[in-house]
Amino acid sequence: MQPATSLSLDNLQDLGAQLQLIPEQQLNAVAEDLVDFALMKGLIVRSKKQEHISRGVEALPLALIPFPQNRETFRRAEQTVPLLNLLLYRVANDHDFLSQCLGKLCDDPYISRMWNLYLRVRQDPRRQKVTMFMLRNDLMPTSDGRLLQTEYNLYATGVYGFCGPIATLQRRALRLLGVSHDPDRLEDSAPANRLAEALIHAWRLYGVVNAVVVEVADEEEALIFHQRYAQFKAQELEPRISWRRRTFRQLAESATLVGDDRRLMVDGEEVAVIHFRTGAMASYFDKENLWEIRETLEMSHAIKVPSVHVILANTKAVQQRLSLSGVIEQFMSDVEDKDGLRAIHAMFGRQYLLNGVSLDAETQHAVADALRQPEEYVLKPAFAEGGLHNMFGTQLREHLQQRETSNSAFTMVLQERFHTALYPQLVVHSEKSPDGLMVEYLPKCDAEIGFFGLFVSDSNEKLITNEYSGYGIRIKPAEIDEEGAFTRTMALAAAYFTEE
């Protein structure tokens, strides 16, 4: 296929206009090529049209243009990930700090149950002390060249299994489109490979060869294939591992604790590692027996990924406290990389805890400002991970107005909204639009870069793994407030390094 245009990725000001000049015939030919490439590489989701067919799939939305990102800024954010891993670990093991952040917020149904579960585990001398988690620090590139933190996640570390082929796909797309670029400036990433290795570490630390890994997943999971990637990679590297996928409802019928050491048995098999891919909100536990099985899993001897104390340390209520001046230093006074700590501080935007009690003067001022100009803020649940739960614009204003007359409002975090960097994009969809095109031109897209980290320590608190393990970039049309894998407004991109 011969390119019909001559474009350059280094001239973003003109790139948008030039992309629109690519002939429709060439765009559709490129799209068909890349959809086949995506299917071959496993960049797929369950097909909505074939939900009744267990193997009906379609390609993910495919972004053809990588995201331009300053190399030095990217590397600086990358280098902070091990520090964030260590910070989360230390916060999770500081009971007094967690009590200050969360102890008065137990009116929330989710945090109340998780807090009580945490207290039970903490007081148990037989508790499992191996710690493992995967963290994703989500940063938004702003129009002034900074990377500012929207949140970091434990459960909602999605798309790690899709990141591996993205840079290769976009190199191919640029070549087919005739866009001039340096292929070495596209950054590769494979966080699922590192996750697989970390899960193997955890399985080995348990010490029972016949014990299995149980992945706790949703009953209907459109993104099952990226989760499966980590499983298949782990079993490729360590063929002795057996893997089971179960829902909370299935576990409620099949999981039991055996012996004084409370070994977890599922369908008669001993469990070494429980990898939670769901369960981040109270809505996942709509029946009491589901809460009971969640508590059974946590009280067992199996290694939890992540465990309840790490989950509590990752709540937005705690993240808001850590953003305050001097708080991080309480946990990291022995860290020599002071530049790294300053870089973490520089990622934080202004954020305020709204917890239904009297607010300090600074928070009251922020609330008043948000009522005047809600477009400058985002309102987030203090205990829910991921997107699709946040409030913007009119909805944000109405909620703040309701809080002024209600004493029972849930705890929320009010955060400044960032002015994001925008760039043009071409997105391939699996099916043609009514006008016969498979490719959609988006003149203004913004991005969120997730930096993945992995942490493993043994039962004696000896560090096994603390590392940056890769990245993923999710892009969406700028006019959409939130991207989400389940809304399918999201597409994945690779970073294209610039030196400016």
Side-chain angles (χ1 to χ4, degrees), residues 314-376:
N314 184 61
T315 56
K316 290 184 177 68
V318 174
Q319 292 177 26
Q320 184 272 337
R321 180 71 68 89
L322 292 173
S323 72
L324 301 178
S325 177
V327 176
I328 286 179
E329 286 73 14
Q330 298 175 21
F331 298 95
M332 310 290 276
S333 58
D334 61 329
V335 171
E336 295 181 0
D337 186 5
K338 304 304 180 186
D339 288 341
L341 296 181
R342 283 189 286 271
I344 291 175
H345 272 297
M347 294 175 184
F348 295 142
R350 292 178 291 112
Q351 46 191 306
Y352 310 90
L353 186 68
L354 311 182
N355 59 2
V357 300
S358 59
L359 306 178
D360 60 38
E362 185 178 4
T363 303
Q364 291 181 36
H365 176 77
V367 170
D369 190 48
L371 287 168
R372 285 192 300 269
Q373 44 181 0
E375 69 279 0
E376 295 296 323

Side-chain angles (χ1 to χ4, degrees), residues 28-46:
N28 277 344
V30 171
E32 291 176 358
D33 180 287
L34 294 178
V35 166
D36 287 345
F37 184 89
L39 292 171
M40 181 189 72
K41 291 291 186 178
L43 296 173
I44 52 179
V45 295
R46 293 276 195 225

Side-chain angles (χ1 to χ4, degrees), residues 111-124:
I111 204 67
S112 177
R113 295 295 293 254
M114 295 298 280
W115 180 257
N116 290 332
L117 176 57
Y118 157 75
L119 293 178
R120 287 177 58 195
V121 173
R122 181 174 180 270
Q123 295 164 2
D124 181 6

